[in-house]
Amino acid sequence: MDYFLTEEQQMIREIAAKIATEKVRPVRAELDESEEFPWDIMKILAQSDLFGIYLPEEYGGSGGGVLENCLAIEEMGRACISVATTFAASGLGAYPILLYGSEEQKQKYLSPIASGEKLAAFGVTEANAGSDAGGIQSTAKRDGDHYVLNGTKQWITNAGEAEIYTVVAMTDRTKGARGASAFVVEKGDPGFSFGKKEKKMGLRASATRELLFNDCRIPADRLIGREGTGFIITMKTFDVSRPGIGALGVGLSQGALDISVEYARKRVQFGKPIIAFQAVQHMLADMATETEASRVLVYAAARYIDSGAKDISKISAISKLYPTDVAMRVTTNAVQVLGGYGYMRDYPVEKMMRDAKILQIYEGTNQIQRNIIGQELNKEYGRMKETFF
Amino acid sequence: MHIVVCIKQVPDAKNVRIDPETNTLVRQGVDSIVNPHDWYAVEAALLLRDEYGGKATVMTMGPPQAEEALRETLALGVDEAVLLSDRAFAGADTWATSLTLARAVEKLGPVDLVICGKQAIDGDTAQVGPGLAAHLDQPYTTYGRRLELVDGDQLRVERLTDFGYEVVQMALPAVVTVVREIGDPRMPGLKHKMRAKKLEIPTWGAADLDLNPEEVGLQGSFTQVVKVFSPPPRSDREMITGEVEEQAEKLFKLLRAGKVPGL
């Protein structure tokens, strides 16, 4: 397929694919086993200028957008979504600053993120607030020229490894979601520390920890946007980041399909390669079809967002929902195609299946995506005057 | 410092076939790649440049499409490139090749160091690096695994041997060939790749290098490939086992009896 990418987009894809094939694929099993944070690979991605592909040139990026980001994420995800998630999560931490930060904040924080010198992370989820961001209990109290943060963020990707954190805390609990505000917190700020590293089913090379705020004092100019805009900043951030999760799904599905087809062509049973059996052929055909459909969807959504369109919530949710459900199906079937080998940890597809599950959960569960899509449909059709009967 | 890296475009060994009739390489339909050993030369040059400053220039002699190989190395951050291409260069042996490369190094102005891969995977001669040094009348060291600038104008080379390494120090300007132990070549970067796409690469022919047609290519070559053939299978071998003294004893007897296989 030719997706009519620009020369620069093709280069991004080539570089990310080369790194994925030569530097990520050979170590993915080891990283999964050891749960080691992939710093070596992050350094390579930094040297190759990939951390800045979605950031404007004035902040050290190369001026691309969501599509450029998705292309790199997809290619890395084809080898390992733990590594690709680590990369993508830095972007998730950067987006609130890019979208709502002051010029000073952009200058200060986006440049080191674009160069890959520093990783970023985004912290919203808490013990009682995940899908329901309104349930956030962390607080930020104004104290002269400072804010004082208290509370605990949970399951934060890149926690402990990142230098720059964008977090959401309540500046006015009486206002519910409208009392939430977003802040930049730096590693090393007084009263800011990290909880234990989580043990996960998959995505094991990605660091997942708590952010602990214990009278954490930060200068008042760390507030992103205005007080009370934390919830909207979160929603708008997810609107631009979700196609990236879709891209992880596309890459993961493609990686599982690659192995499945190669295996089915070699594995001989009843005197022929199993790809000659219709039962297997049709499974592979469905896997390929759904993977390609996911890719088309992610690219189309990314291009629409990059066009500057405002009504992006629905397509963004769709571009996360479908490719990630597909990735779960495709990786499950990849294990099936490989049979006993697929279930063994000596082969890469069982890891892909374990990894796939997180895609249906993080950055808004797929049930939440369906909520968003449903609510948007209700709004869209409510505005229409015509009838379709 | 100014470092020049000489590279070669070679057929991709993964797809190479030998024509069983003629015993020659089938080059038709085979992709060209940068000689794998040359990537270490590129990496060695970039490591030195990054540490000591200056610039790295990559150079190759070959047909016009060899420019692609140059651009590939530019994507890693090499500063400049020169293509040596002329119909008259065709059919050059290692003498004519190294002479042509040497003239181009001279034309580039003061060059502190020329780095080559240890050998090319097609010809496998490992002669062009040393040949370059001879034509440039400069010292050279082969099989470098680590390069370090000392006292400003000396290169200290850790030179890989079968049993370890030697440390050799030579005065610059000089030529060095390097091995895989230099370190994995870095990955291409987006900014370098964008620049590589657009960078104007000068092409120099024999006239640009003040070389006469009889000094280059087939005409300037002292050697000629008369025949390419697959070596006959080795004759029977016998492994001598046992304690060292025992082995020596057995070998001595075989030698005395003139019964060493293959001799």
Side-chain angles (χ1 to χ4, degrees), chain B residues 223-259:
Chain B
T223 60
Q224 210 182 333
V225 179
V226 181
K227 187 180 166 194
V228 177
F229 62 95
S230 305
R234 292 191 190 190
S235 52
D236 289 344
R237 277 191 263 183
E238 185 190 332
M239 291 303 289
I240 302 172
T241 54
E243 295 294 313
V244 177
E245 289 81 4
E246 222 179 306
Q247 288 183 38
E249 180 89 358
K250 283 183 193 167
L251 179 62
F252 182 70
K253 279 182 182 159
L254 285 166
L255 285 166
R256 285 298 289 267
K259 282 183 184 164

Side-chain angles (χ1 to χ4, degrees), chain A residues 67-362:
Chain A
L67 181 57
E68 280 77 4
N69 199 26
C70 285
L71 291 169
I73 291 170
E74 178 192 342
E75 287 301 334
M76 279 181 251
R78 191 167 173 177
C80 175
I81 68 160
S82 282
V83 169
T85 292
T86 304
F87 170 83
S90 193
L92 181 65
Y95 271 130
I97 302 170
L98 177 65
L99 296 176
Y100 292 95
S102 65
E103 188 53 36
E104 291 72 31
Q105 287 170 338
K106 289 181 192 179
Q107 291 290 353
K108 183 174 178 192
Y109 296 113
L110 294 183
S111 300
I113 293 172
S115 68
E117 181 197 333
K118 293 178 179 176
L119 287 180
F122 188 46
V124 177
T125 303
E126 297 182 1
N128 296 313
S131 297
D132 179 10
I136 290 173
Q137 287 171 328
S138 293
T139 57
K141 280 210 173 68
R142 182 83 188 223
D143 179 23
D145 295 341
H146 288 78
Y147 281 97
V148 179
L149 273 59
N150 277 291
T152 301
K153 294 288 169 188
Q154 186 171 281
W155 302 329
I156 306 307
T157 304
N158 286 355
E161 310 295 336
E163 299 282 332
I164 299 163
Y165 297 80
T166 51
V167 300
V168 180
M170 305 303 289
T171 39
D172 188 347
R173 289 177 90 159
T174 62
K175 290 185 181 166
R178 288 183 183 186
S181 303
F183 299 90
V184 181
V185 183
E186 295 175 23
K187 190 178 185 175
D189 278 337
F192 177 36
S193 60
F194 305 101
K196 67 171 170 35
K197 199 172 167 181
E198 303 291 348
K199 292 178 190 163
K200 304 190 294 293
M201 170 185 181
L203 209 76
R204 287 158 54 95
S206 158
T208 311
R209 291 172 72 174
E210 288 172 329
L211 307 182
L212 309 174
F213 300 103
N214 193 356
D215 285 333
C216 168
R217 281 180 76 81
I218 55 171
D221 63 10
R222 301 276 193 82
L223 174 71
I224 302 174
R226 287 175 289 107
E227 273 192 25
T229 58
F231 186 70
I232 188 80
I233 289 173
T234 303
M235 293 302 116
K236 295 290 179 189
T237 292
F238 285 146
D239 277 351
V240 292
S241 70
R242 277 176 180 144
I245 306 300
L248 286 167
V250 177
L252 180 54
S253 296
Q254 186 63 53
L257 178 67
D258 292 338
I259 289 171
S260 302
V261 178
E262 185 181 329
Y263 177 85
R265 282 171 44 78
K266 284 185 191 155
R267 169 74 170 176
V268 175
Q269 291 287 277
F270 306 104
K272 23 182 174 172
I274 62 169
I275 199 166
F277 297 106
Q278 206 174 51
V280 175
Q281 254 175 31
H282 284 193
M283 275 171 87
L284 295 172
D286 286 343
M287 290 158 76
T289 304
E290 291 189 317
T291 301
E292 204 61 54
S294 299
R295 183 175 290 122
V296 174
L297 179 54
V298 167
Y299 291 5
R303 281 182 164 131
Y304 186 59
I305 295 168
D306 288 337
S307 75
K310 295 280 174 264
D311 57 334
I312 56 173
S313 295
K314 187 180 75 176
I315 191 66
S316 169
I318 290 174
S319 75
K320 192 261 176 183
L321 169 66
Y322 182 76
T324 55
D325 278 352
V326 164
M328 193 69 248
R329 274 200 294 278
V330 168
T331 53
T332 305
N333 282 336
V335 172
Q336 193 68 25
V337 169
L338 268 74
Y341 291 108
Y343 200 70
M344 298 300 138
R345 281 167 69 174
D346 294 334
Y347 293 81
V349 289
E350 64 81 31
K351 169 191 179 291
M352 292 177 167
M353 185 177 167
R354 282 187 286 115
D355 284 353
K357 191 64 211 171
I358 192 60
L359 297 175
Q360 295 179 305
I361 298 170
Y362 66 9

